[in-house]
Amino acid sequence: METKRLPRVYSAARPTGRQHIGNYLGAIQNYVKLQESFQSIYAIADVHALTTVETTQGLKENCLEMALDWFAAGIEPEKSIVFLQSNVPQVMELHTYLSMVVAIGKLTDLPTFKEKVRMHPQNVNYGLLGYPVLMSADILLFKADFVPVGIDQAPHLEFAREIVRSFNFRYQTKVLIEPQMKATATPKIIGTDGVNKMSKSLDNDIELAADEKTTEKRVRSMVTDTNRVMRTDPGNPDICNVYAFHKTFSPAELCAEIDRECRVAGIGCVDCKKKLAANLNAALAPLRERRAELAKNPARVWEILHDGAQRASLIADDTIRDVRDAIGLAQA
Ligand code: AMP
């Protein structure tokens, strides 16, 4: 039986390599903040990555790149447990137990599954269908109270909560606990196309650790208020993605100035983007410096992940023991 413990936070993300500003504002920033007041556990979901990749070439490298961004952003191994999902295999066992309380129709109905089928019609595998079950197992294995994720993950989190209810009802137990979502103030960052969620696969992203010139180029390519065709046309900051970024990365006085001047065509989009790129580069400079320093010693990063897996395993073992017990499996 567990004694009273600090409330726990758990989140994971597939190893997509270098992280973008959407990942940062939607998730990582929250990871960093929450580690101050919660027991925080963050995983690099390399097993989930297998559901869509055709080759694992580059997978290890992507894990490292992602870890570098996380640590550079301020996740501290002294405060948070950070590990690779495949290194704590207890999650696979919990996934199997949970799969018995999930109706297949529920999985095929999920919009995220339909979207993945559309994107990977040649590779609709069993793992892809079970993706949300594995994700639930991830969260429930650590008995997380809160899960910091972007708004796109809300259906998956609701799914995890339903699994808890089904499992606890089936086995008349309280062993699994329903996690709550913790969104940031910016749970959905729009990409440079001005329409879709920022995402590496849509090539509408701005990498956190890009160099200054690349950042300027990406910002220059951002779609603004599409009704503003000529420099002399007044713009509408309320529907402009560049302005949305200013609100996060620029001081309040500049935001007020742009808001005012854009509406009367006093400032053009080119200048507005130049100011944004400068502020973005300034805001990300410390993170980029820390990353460059960490990247000199990849062995240290692997060591931190190894240590994280050991610590995560201890918690996972406890849950698995409780779960087997609740199900009524014999310990011969
Ligand atoms: P992904 O890279 O899609 O696996 O997402 C990793 C984490 O970043 C998840 O918590 C997502 O919800 C979050 N995230 C990804 N893209 C965005 C975005 N454009 N805006 C806000 N959060 C995002």
Side-chain angles (χ1 to χ4, degrees):
M1 256 294 124
E2 231 176 315
T3 47
K4 202 162 162 34
R5 59 167 173 84
L6 267 183
R8 245 179 231 155
V9 155
Y10 172 90
S11 195
R14 282 168 306 127
T16 45
R18 286 174 169 247
Q19 301 287 277
H20 53 66
I21 290 175
N23 297 133
Y24 180 62
L25 297 177
I28 304 169
Q29 212 180 38
N30 235 1
Y31 296 178
V32 175
K33 195 173 88 197
L34 295 170
Q35 68 182 350
E36 299 303 330
S37 33
F38 295 92
Q39 183 180 21
S40 303
I41 307 172
Y42 303 123
I44 296 178
D46 53 351
V47 180
H48 272 114
L50 302 179
T51 57
T52 49
V53 297
E54 265 143 44
T55 159
T56 51
Q57 211 186 0
L59 184 60
K60 285 183 194 159
E61 194 54 31
N62 279 345
C63 291
L64 179 66
E65 292 287 348
M66 187 153 136
L68 284 170
D69 277 333
W70 282 12
F71 294 132
I75 297 178
E76 296 178 40
E78 296 77 22
K79 294 182 181 161
S80 298
I81 297 177
V82 186
F83 67 100
L84 297 170
Q85 184 188 27
S86 63
N87 292 188
V88 182
Q90 293 89 325
V91 74
M92 269 53 107
E93 181 176 341
L94 184 57
H95 165 264
T96 305
Y97 298 146
L98 297 182
S99 71
M100 316 299 173
V101 298
V102 180
I104 290 178
K106 262 211 163 331
L107 294 170
T108 49
D109 277 354
L110 278 172
T112 42
F113 175 68
K114 291 181 184 157
E115 172 68 8
K116 289 241 167 84
V117 171
R118 214 174 46 74
M119 282 165 69
H120 308 275
Q122 309 304 329
N123 188 18
V124 183
N125 58 68
Y126 174 64
L128 198 60
L129 186 68
Y131 191 106
V133 186
L134 182 59
M135 185 170 156
S136 303
D138 273 336
I139 300 166
L140 305 179
L141 185 64
F142 296 102
K143 298 190 178 173
D145 301 283
F146 301 105
V147 183
V149 278
I151 203 77
D152 55 326
Q153 295 299 325
H156 281 162
L157 203 68
E158 193 45 43
F159 183 86
R161 293 160 56 83
E162 282 174 22
I163 287 198
V164 171
R165 293 197 283 271
S166 303
F167 183 94
N168 285 354
F169 180 74
R170 162 89 58 98
Y171 298 111
Q172 288 300 296
T173 176
K174 289 187 176 147
V175 71
L176 299 182
I177 58 171
E178 282 188 44
Q180 311 286 330
M181 178 165 164
K182 254 198 193 299
T184 60
T186 44
K188 183 175 178 184
I189 300 299
I190 300 298
T192 53
D193 56 11
V195 180
N196 297 298
K197 189 188 90 159
M198 184 176 283
S199 156
K200 184 172 272 199
S201 54
L202 295 175
D203 192 27
N204 66 357
D205 61 324
I206 303 175
E207 279 182 2
L208 274 180
D211 60 39
E212 294 201 349
K213 285 267 161 297
T214 309
T215 306
E216 280 165 24
K217 210 168 135 206
R218 296 298 272 181
V219 170
R220 251 197 328 268
S221 78
M222 284 176 82
V223 173
T224 55
D225 168 8
T226 47
N227 298 321
R228 190 177 187 192
V229 183
M230 311 286 286
R231 165 68 181 81
T232 46
D233 292 341
N236 180 0
D238 299 336
I239 54 166
C240 176
N241 196 29
V242 172
Y243 186 66
F245 272 72
H246 268 298
K247 284 200 278 190
T248 304
F249 291 101
S250 299
E253 314 83 73
L254 179 62
C255 290
E257 183 188 321
I258 290 173
D259 187 318
R260 197 178 56 241
E261 294 300 316
C262 174
R263 290 177 201 277
V264 294
I267 182 172
C269 295
V270 174
D271 282 341
C272 182
K273 288 176 180 180
K274 272 190 193 148
K275 288 180 197 289
L276 174 62
N279 288 338
L280 204 50
N281 278 330
L284 295 176
L287 181 153
R288 290 168 177 174
E289 270 167 41
R290 277 195 300 275
R291 189 187 205 281
E293 210 40 52
L294 286 165
K296 290 181 189 158
N297 192 358
R300 175 69 194 129
V301 177
W302 291 118
E303 202 176 272
I304 294 170
L305 295 174
H306 174 80
D307 177 60
Q310 308 282 305
R311 290 156 67 203
S313 253
L314 295 177
I315 302 173
D317 283 341
D318 277 351
T319 306
I320 290 293
R321 205 180 36 247
D322 291 351
V323 165
R324 286 185 194 154
D325 201 42
I327 294 174
L329 296 168
Q331 186 64 60

Short mmCIF file of all heavy atoms in Angstrom, two decimals, residues 24 28 32 64-77 208-209 283-295 301:
data_model
loop_
_atom_site.label_atom_id
_atom_site.label_comp_id
_atom_site.label_asym_id
_atom_site.label_seq_id
_atom_site.Cartn_x
_atom_site.Cartn_y
_atom_site.Cartn_z
N TYR A 24 7.02 23.48 -27.36
CA TYR A 24 7.52 24.25 -26.22
C TYR A 24 6.37 24.94 -25.48
O TYR A 24 6.20 24.78 -24.27
CB TYR A 24 8.54 25.27 -26.71
CG TYR A 24 9.14 26.12 -25.63
CD1 TYR A 24 9.88 25.55 -24.60
CD2 TYR A 24 8.96 27.50 -25.62
CE1 TYR A 24 10.43 26.33 -23.59
CE2 TYR A 24 9.51 28.29 -24.62
CZ TYR A 24 10.23 27.70 -23.62
OH TYR A 24 10.77 28.47 -22.62
N ILE A 28 6.23 21.60 -23.17
CA ILE A 28 7.51 21.60 -22.43
C ILE A 28 7.55 22.69 -21.34
O ILE A 28 8.02 22.45 -20.22
CB ILE A 28 8.71 21.78 -23.39
CG1 ILE A 28 8.68 20.66 -24.45
CG2 ILE A 28 10.03 21.75 -22.64
CD1 ILE A 28 9.66 20.87 -25.60
N VAL A 32 8.36 22.16 -17.30
CA VAL A 32 9.37 22.86 -16.50
C VAL A 32 8.75 23.49 -15.26
O VAL A 32 9.26 23.37 -14.15
CB VAL A 32 10.09 23.93 -17.37
CG1 VAL A 32 11.06 24.75 -16.53
CG2 VAL A 32 10.80 23.28 -18.55
N LEU A 64 17.69 11.53 -28.62
CA LEU A 64 18.73 12.39 -28.05
C LEU A 64 18.42 13.87 -28.33
O LEU A 64 18.50 14.72 -27.43
CB LEU A 64 20.10 12.02 -28.63
CG LEU A 64 21.27 12.86 -28.15
CD1 LEU A 64 21.52 12.65 -26.66
CD2 LEU A 64 22.55 12.53 -28.94
N GLU A 65 18.04 14.15 -29.57
CA GLU A 65 17.74 15.55 -29.95
C GLU A 65 16.61 16.11 -29.09
O GLU A 65 16.64 17.26 -28.64
CB GLU A 65 17.32 15.62 -31.43
CG GLU A 65 18.43 15.31 -32.42
CD GLU A 65 19.45 16.43 -32.52
OE1 GLU A 65 19.20 17.53 -32.02
OE2 GLU A 65 20.52 16.17 -33.11
N MET A 66 15.61 15.26 -28.87
CA MET A 66 14.47 15.71 -28.09
C MET A 66 14.88 15.94 -26.63
O MET A 66 14.51 16.96 -26.02
CB MET A 66 13.38 14.66 -28.18
CG MET A 66 12.10 15.08 -27.56
SD MET A 66 10.76 14.21 -28.37
CE MET A 66 9.82 13.76 -26.97
N ALA A 67 15.66 15.01 -26.09
CA ALA A 67 16.12 15.14 -24.71
C ALA A 67 16.95 16.42 -24.56
O ALA A 67 16.81 17.15 -23.56
CB ALA A 67 16.93 13.92 -24.30
N LEU A 68 17.78 16.72 -25.54
CA LEU A 68 18.59 17.93 -25.47
C LEU A 68 17.70 19.17 -25.38
O LEU A 68 17.95 20.07 -24.57
CB LEU A 68 19.50 18.04 -26.71
CG LEU A 68 20.72 17.13 -26.73
CD1 LEU A 68 21.40 17.15 -28.10
CD2 LEU A 68 21.73 17.53 -25.65
N ASP A 69 16.65 19.19 -26.18
CA ASP A 69 15.74 20.34 -26.13
C ASP A 69 15.03 20.43 -24.78
O ASP A 69 14.86 21.50 -24.22
CB ASP A 69 14.69 20.25 -27.25
CG ASP A 69 15.23 20.78 -28.58
OD1 ASP A 69 16.13 21.63 -28.56
OD2 ASP A 69 14.75 20.33 -29.64
N TRP A 70 14.61 19.27 -24.28
CA TRP A 70 13.90 19.27 -22.99
C TRP A 70 14.81 19.80 -21.87
O TRP A 70 14.40 20.65 -21.09
CB TRP A 70 13.45 17.84 -22.63
CG TRP A 70 12.23 17.37 -23.36
CD1 TRP A 70 11.62 17.98 -24.43
CD2 TRP A 70 11.46 16.20 -23.06
NE1 TRP A 70 10.53 17.24 -24.82
CE2 TRP A 70 10.40 16.15 -24.00
CE3 TRP A 70 11.56 15.20 -22.11
CZ2 TRP A 70 9.45 15.13 -24.00
CZ3 TRP A 70 10.61 14.17 -22.11
CH2 TRP A 70 9.57 14.15 -23.04
N PHE A 71 16.02 19.27 -21.82
CA PHE A 71 16.92 19.70 -20.73
C PHE A 71 17.33 21.17 -20.92
O PHE A 71 17.43 21.92 -19.96
CB PHE A 71 18.15 18.79 -20.64
CG PHE A 71 17.79 17.38 -20.22
CD1 PHE A 71 18.28 16.27 -20.91
CD2 PHE A 71 16.96 17.15 -19.13
CE1 PHE A 71 17.94 14.97 -20.53
CE2 PHE A 71 16.61 15.86 -18.73
CZ PHE A 71 17.10 14.77 -19.44
N ALA A 72 17.55 21.55 -22.18
CA ALA A 72 17.93 22.95 -22.44
C ALA A 72 16.78 23.89 -22.06
O ALA A 72 17.01 25.02 -21.63
CB ALA A 72 18.30 23.13 -23.91
N ALA A 73 15.55 23.39 -22.21
CA ALA A 73 14.38 24.24 -21.88
C ALA A 73 14.20 24.39 -20.37
O ALA A 73 13.42 25.22 -19.92
CB ALA A 73 13.12 23.65 -22.50
N GLY A 74 14.89 23.55 -19.60
CA GLY A 74 14.82 23.73 -18.14
C GLY A 74 14.33 22.53 -17.36
O GLY A 74 14.14 22.63 -16.14
N ILE A 75 14.08 21.40 -18.03
CA ILE A 75 13.74 20.20 -17.25
C ILE A 75 15.01 19.75 -16.55
O ILE A 75 16.05 19.57 -17.20
CB ILE A 75 13.18 19.08 -18.14
CG1 ILE A 75 11.88 19.55 -18.80
CG2 ILE A 75 12.94 17.80 -17.33
CD1 ILE A 75 11.26 18.56 -19.75
N GLU A 76 14.92 19.59 -15.23
CA GLU A 76 16.13 19.26 -14.48
C GLU A 76 16.05 17.83 -13.95
O GLU A 76 15.08 17.48 -13.28
CB GLU A 76 16.28 20.23 -13.29
CG GLU A 76 16.50 21.66 -13.73
CD GLU A 76 16.59 22.60 -12.55
OE1 GLU A 76 17.22 22.23 -11.53
OE2 GLU A 76 16.01 23.70 -12.63
N PRO A 77 17.08 17.03 -14.24
CA PRO A 77 17.06 15.64 -13.80
C PRO A 77 16.99 15.49 -12.28
O PRO A 77 16.53 14.46 -11.78
CB PRO A 77 18.38 15.06 -14.32
CG PRO A 77 19.05 16.11 -15.10
CD PRO A 77 18.28 17.38 -15.02
N LEU A 208 12.88 25.17 -32.00
CA LEU A 208 13.36 25.91 -30.84
C LEU A 208 14.84 26.26 -30.99
O LEU A 208 15.26 27.37 -30.70
CB LEU A 208 13.25 25.02 -29.60
CG LEU A 208 11.97 24.97 -28.84
CD1 LEU A 208 12.12 24.03 -27.67
CD2 LEU A 208 11.60 26.36 -28.36
N ALA A 209 15.60 25.26 -31.45
CA ALA A 209 17.06 25.42 -31.45
C ALA A 209 17.60 25.80 -32.84
O ALA A 209 18.79 25.65 -33.10
CB ALA A 209 17.71 24.13 -30.97
N ALA A 283 14.58 35.71 -27.03
CA ALA A 283 13.96 34.89 -25.98
C ALA A 283 14.56 33.48 -25.95
O ALA A 283 14.68 32.87 -24.88
CB ALA A 283 12.45 34.81 -26.20
N LEU A 284 14.92 32.97 -27.12
CA LEU A 284 15.40 31.58 -27.17
C LEU A 284 16.92 31.46 -27.05
O LEU A 284 17.44 30.35 -26.95
CB LEU A 284 14.93 30.92 -28.47
CG LEU A 284 13.40 30.74 -28.59
CD1 LEU A 284 13.01 30.18 -29.94
CD2 LEU A 284 12.87 29.83 -27.48
N ALA A 285 17.61 32.60 -27.03
CA ALA A 285 19.08 32.55 -26.98
C ALA A 285 19.62 31.75 -25.79
O ALA A 285 20.50 30.89 -25.97
CB ALA A 285 19.66 33.96 -27.01
N PRO A 286 19.11 31.97 -24.57
CA PRO A 286 19.67 31.20 -23.43
C PRO A 286 19.44 29.69 -23.60
O PRO A 286 20.34 28.89 -23.32
CB PRO A 286 18.88 31.72 -22.22
CG PRO A 286 18.26 33.00 -22.65
CD PRO A 286 18.08 32.94 -24.12
N LEU A 287 18.25 29.32 -24.09
CA LEU A 287 17.96 27.89 -24.31
C LEU A 287 18.94 27.32 -25.34
O LEU A 287 19.50 26.23 -25.17
CB LEU A 287 16.51 27.76 -24.80
CG LEU A 287 15.95 26.37 -25.07
CD1 LEU A 287 14.43 26.38 -24.90
CD2 LEU A 287 16.28 25.82 -26.44
N ARG A 288 19.18 28.07 -26.39
CA ARG A 288 20.06 27.58 -27.46
C ARG A 288 21.50 27.44 -26.96
O ARG A 288 22.19 26.50 -27.34
CB ARG A 288 19.98 28.53 -28.66
CG ARG A 288 18.64 28.44 -29.37
CD ARG A 288 18.42 29.55 -30.36
NE ARG A 288 17.14 29.37 -31.06
CZ ARG A 288 16.64 30.25 -31.90
NH1 ARG A 288 17.27 31.37 -32.16
NH2 ARG A 288 15.48 30.01 -32.50
N GLU A 289 21.91 28.37 -26.11
CA GLU A 289 23.27 28.27 -25.55
C GLU A 289 23.41 27.03 -24.68
O GLU A 289 24.37 26.28 -24.77
CB GLU A 289 23.58 29.50 -24.70
CG GLU A 289 24.22 30.61 -25.50
CD GLU A 289 24.23 31.92 -24.71
OE1 GLU A 289 24.51 31.89 -23.49
OE2 GLU A 289 23.94 32.97 -25.32
N ARG A 290 22.41 26.82 -23.83
CA ARG A 290 22.45 25.64 -22.94
C ARG A 290 22.46 24.36 -23.77
O ARG A 290 23.18 23.41 -23.49
CB ARG A 290 21.22 25.62 -22.01
CG ARG A 290 21.36 26.46 -20.77
CD ARG A 290 20.30 26.11 -19.73
NE ARG A 290 18.94 26.32 -20.21
CZ ARG A 290 18.30 27.48 -20.17
NH1 ARG A 290 18.90 28.56 -19.69
NH2 ARG A 290 17.06 27.59 -20.61
N ARG A 291 21.68 24.35 -24.84
CA ARG A 291 21.60 23.16 -25.69
C ARG A 291 22.95 22.86 -26.33
O ARG A 291 23.40 21.70 -26.36
CB ARG A 291 20.54 23.36 -26.78
CG ARG A 291 20.27 22.09 -27.53
CD ARG A 291 19.36 22.37 -28.70
NE ARG A 291 18.61 21.20 -29.10
CZ ARG A 291 19.08 20.21 -29.82
NH1 ARG A 291 20.33 20.23 -30.24
NH2 ARG A 291 18.31 19.19 -30.14
N ALA A 292 23.59 23.90 -26.82
CA ALA A 292 24.88 23.70 -27.49
C ALA A 292 25.89 23.11 -26.49
O ALA A 292 26.71 22.25 -26.82
CB ALA A 292 25.38 25.02 -28.05
N GLU A 293 25.81 23.56 -25.25
CA GLU A 293 26.71 23.08 -24.21
C GLU A 293 26.43 21.60 -23.91
O GLU A 293 27.34 20.77 -23.87
CB GLU A 293 26.46 23.93 -22.95
CG GLU A 293 27.61 24.15 -22.01
CD GLU A 293 28.95 24.39 -22.67
OE1 GLU A 293 29.05 25.27 -23.55
OE2 GLU A 293 29.91 23.67 -22.30
N LEU A 294 25.15 21.28 -23.73
CA LEU A 294 24.75 19.89 -23.43
C LEU A 294 25.11 18.94 -24.57
O LEU A 294 25.50 17.79 -24.34
CB LEU A 294 23.23 19.81 -23.23
CG LEU A 294 22.65 20.37 -21.94
CD1 LEU A 294 21.14 20.56 -22.08
CD2 LEU A 294 22.94 19.40 -20.79
N ALA A 295 24.98 19.43 -25.80
CA ALA A 295 25.22 18.58 -26.97
C ALA A 295 26.67 18.14 -27.07
O ALA A 295 26.98 17.18 -27.78
CB ALA A 295 24.79 19.32 -28.23
N VAL A 301 23.77 12.76 -21.34
CA VAL A 301 22.31 12.73 -21.56
C VAL A 301 21.80 11.29 -21.47
O VAL A 301 20.80 11.01 -20.81
CB VAL A 301 21.95 13.36 -22.93
CG1 VAL A 301 20.45 13.26 -23.18
CG2 VAL A 301 22.39 14.82 -22.97
#
